[in-house]
């Protein structure tokens, strides 16, 4: 009987899956949510802009880990909340719309501000140049020169190019494996770091931010009302014929952020 108890105790320790958390970030419309669905082996249909964040479990088997991705909204008002996640994630997936050259300056600013964040030091970054099916896309080595022209001394990184509409699943998987293998090799070191910072941020940083969330929500709603007359964010509604401004779940993701922030 003792043997069985000891065995089940050992099993509960050994079989417990360890979490690997990744943040998916990048400008709005870069394709983050679509790529997250591909990583879940689901076909992205009726994707709507992300207001706040959604958490996705990735059903792949990788050693004894449970992998999840925080898919964060990329619109300007939400970008200020990205750093709330930097402390607890083990790695970042940074998505760039390789066809949208007009926004490369904006991408560069976002990327550099992300790199400068102390909570991301030494964490691996997968850079995805997405929308490779589009004619006007820029080659990934040009993007590396134009956008990512920054010293990466503190972060191991890999750049890949993908398209949600072409066969790039292998490339996407190899990019994900780069992150996972690096995190696995450094897990103990990284987890101590993640947990220490997590506790610190819960007690110090999250409370003041959670107070401003309600204001942000109101601001977002006002913007969306303005958007009815034709915002650029909604201008691709032709691509989502079954969804429109009214049936999108507007408030849910930000409520999740509020809940998350107060935990
Ligand atoms: N042509 C092309 N379109 C894509 C690709 N990936 C995504 N899209 C389209 O780009 C639009 C935005 O995709 P999303 O996945 O919602 O982008 P997002 O980065 O999650 O945007 P936010 O949630 O607003 O931050 C959608 O219309 C997608 O169908 C791609 O590889 N090629
Ligand atoms: Mg999204």
């Amino acid at each position: 009987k003792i043997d069985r108890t000891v065995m089940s105790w050992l099993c509960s320790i050994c079989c417990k899956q360890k979490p690997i958390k990744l943040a998916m970030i990048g400008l709005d419309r870069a394709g983050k949510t679509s790529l997250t669905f591909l990583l879940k082996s689901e076909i992205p249909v009726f994707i709507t802009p992300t207001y706040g964040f959604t958490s996705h479990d990735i059903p792949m088997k990788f050693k004894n880990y449970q992998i999840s991705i925080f898919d964060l909204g990329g619109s300007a008002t939400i970008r200020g909340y990205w750093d709330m996640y930097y402390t607890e994630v083990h790695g970042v997936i940074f998505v760039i719309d390789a066809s949208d050259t007009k926004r490369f300056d904006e991408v560069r600013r976002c990327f550099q501000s992300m790199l400068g964040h102390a909570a991301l030091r030494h964490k691996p970054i997968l850079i995805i140049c997405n929308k490779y099916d589009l004619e006007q896309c820029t080659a990934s080595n040009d993007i590396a020169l134009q956008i990512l022209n920054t010293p990466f001394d503190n972060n191991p990184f890999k750049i890949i190019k993908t398209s949600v509409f072409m066969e790039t699943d292998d490339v996407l998987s190899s990019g994900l494996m780069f992150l996972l293998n690096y995190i696995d090799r450094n897990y103990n070191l990284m987890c101590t770091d993640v947990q220490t910072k997590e506790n610190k941020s819960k007690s110090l940083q999250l409370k003041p931010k959670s107070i401003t969330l309600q204001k942000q929500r109101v601001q977002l709603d006002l913007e969306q009302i303005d958007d009815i007359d034709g915002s650029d964010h909604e201008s691709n509604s032709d691509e989502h014929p079954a969804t429109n401004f009214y049936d999108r779940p507007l408030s849910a993701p930000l409520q999740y952020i509020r809940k998350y922030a107060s935990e």
Side-chain angles (χ1 to χ4, degrees):
K1 195 180 173 191
I2 291 170
D3 280 355
R4 227 183 261 170
T5 318
V6 172
M7 284 298 284
S8 76
W9 176 72
L10 277 177
C11 190
S12 73
I13 291 174
C14 300
C15 305
K16 195 166 180 280
Q17 287 198 308
K18 295 181 281 184
I20 288 184
K21 297 178 189 178
L22 304 172
M24 179 79 95
I25 65 175
L27 299 192
D28 47 296
R29 283 178 290 158
K32 299 179 294 299
T33 305
S34 311
L35 289 166
T36 304
F37 275 88
L38 284 190
L39 286 169
K40 289 171 74 179
S41 307
E42 289 177 23
I43 296 168
V45 277
F46 305 133
I47 300 293
T48 55
T50 312
Y51 290 104
F53 89 108
T54 38
S55 176
H56 299 261
D57 285 336
I58 304 300
M60 74 178 285
K61 283 205 183 341
F62 176 68
K63 301 193 176 176
N64 196 24
Y65 292 103
Q66 166 66 52
I67 299 145
S68 55
I69 293 186
F70 294 133
D71 171 24
L72 304 175
S75 64
T77 40
I78 300 170
R79 280 175 225 159
Y81 295 95
W82 286 355
D83 62 0
M84 286 173 69
Y85 299 86
Y86 290 167
T87 47
E88 71 171 288
V89 296
H90 300 86
V92 169
I93 303 176
F94 189 88
V95 185
I96 299 169
D97 178 346
S99 71
D100 199 353
T101 48
K102 286 201 254 22
R103 298 185 81 190
F104 279 5
D105 273 346
E106 202 180 346
V107 175
R108 188 190 301 114
R109 282 196 300 277
C110 274
F111 187 77
Q112 286 177 352
S113 111
M114 176 199 80
L115 268 195
H117 209 286
L120 287 181
R121 271 170 82 92
H122 309 303
K123 293 182 182 174
I125 302 174
L126 175 66
I127 296 150
I128 300 187
C129 303
N130 191 36
K131 304 203 183 181
Y132 253 80
D133 53 296
L134 298 178
E135 261 179 33
Q136 64 273 31
C137 73
T138 307
S140 55
N141 45 354
D142 285 349
I143 290 185
L145 278 178
Q146 285 185 48
I147 301 186
L148 316 168
N149 192 7
T150 306
F152 273 72
D153 302 344
N154 290 321
N155 301 85
F157 71 98
K158 183 180 170 88
I159 304 177
I160 58 169
K161 52 181 189 179
T162 60
S163 163
V164 168
F165 302 119
M166 289 164 78
E167 286 287 317
T168 50
D169 293 6
D170 288 351
V171 180
L172 197 57
S173 310
S174 77
L176 183 64
M177 288 313 294
F178 155 76
L179 288 179
L180 299 181
N181 283 323
Y182 181 87
I183 293 164
D184 176 46
R185 283 197 305 274
N186 298 280
Y187 194 77
N188 289 336
L189 203 69
M190 213 174 238
C191 269
T192 320
D193 200 32
V194 165
Q195 278 154 13
T196 316
K197 285 177 183 160
E198 203 176 42
N199 293 340
K200 224 187 207 173
S201 67
K202 272 186 184 157
S203 59
L204 295 177
Q205 293 167 8
L206 296 187
K207 279 183 187 154
K209 279 214 169 179
S210 65
I211 296 166
T212 62
L213 279 165
Q214 187 62 40
K215 281 192 202 155
Q216 149 118 5
R217 175 85 187 86
V218 172
Q219 192 187 342
L220 207 62
D221 284 347
L222 288 174
E223 279 173 14
Q224 282 157 1
I225 289 164
D226 286 341
D227 280 352
I228 295 174
D229 290 335
S231 122
D232 58 352
H233 210 107
E234 292 299 316
S235 63
N236 58 1
S237 57
D238 285 348
E239 291 160 41
H240 305 303
T243 55
N244 58 37
F245 176 80
Y246 296 100
D247 63 10
R248 195 170 59 203
L250 287 177
S251 58
L254 271 178
Q255 281 172 354
Y256 294 152
I257 283 197
R258 265 202 297 281
K259 179 173 173 293
Y260 175 84
S262 59
E263 269 171 11

